[in-house]
């Protein structure tokens, strides 16, 4: 660990878990130690909206949902 608190994830683990530069990871404190997991991206695929909604509105709804999910996940991570 550097004096700034940064760590390096070994190459074999980055490859095994498909971690790439720019990916977000979550550090979780557990009774067994620290667990690092890759944050997965969510999308609006499978979003239930009326068939006659425009593509732009569909994308806006999906983005709003993604933001909501990210906020909730961040709150859950802070509470863990």
């Amino acid at each position: 660990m550097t004096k700034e608190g940064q760590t390096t994830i070994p190459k074999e683990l980055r490859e095994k878990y498909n971690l790439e530069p720019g990916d977000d990871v979550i550090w979780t404190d557990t009774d067994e130690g620290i667990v690092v997991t890759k944050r997965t991206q969510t999308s609006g695929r499978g979003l239930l909206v009326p068939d006659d909604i425009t593509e732009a509105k569909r994308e806006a709804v999906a983005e709003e949902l993604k933001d909501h999910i990210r906020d909730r996940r961040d709150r859950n991570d802070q509470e863990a």
Side-chain angles (χ1 to χ4, degrees), residues 68-80:
H68 175 76
I69 291 169
R70 183 184 308 115
D71 290 343
R72 176 168 288 182
R73 187 182 299 132
D74 289 345
R75 275 184 278 140
N76 289 343
D77 292 344
Q78 291 172 358
E79 293 172 4

Side-chain angles (χ1 to χ4, degrees), residues 1-61:
M1 178 183 310
T2 68
K3 65 182 178 179
E4 292 85 18
Q6 296 176 333
T7 61
T8 300
I9 300 172
K11 181 179 180 182
E12 58 273 7
L13 294 177
R14 292 192 316 264
E15 290 174 349
K16 180 177 181 179
Y17 294 103
N18 195 30
L19 291 169
E20 298 179 0
D23 284 347
D24 288 330
V25 294
I26 301 168
W27 299 78
T28 306
D29 184 17
T30 71
D31 291 338
E32 290 79 31
I34 298 171
V35 175
V36 180
T37 53
K38 180 178 179 178
R39 173 169 285 177
T40 58
Q41 299 295 321
T42 58
S43 70
R45 284 179 286 166
L47 189 65
L48 298 176
V49 294
D51 290 336
D52 61 348
I53 196 167
T54 67
E55 185 64 27
K57 179 65 176 170
R58 184 179 299 270
E59 289 176 11
V61 169

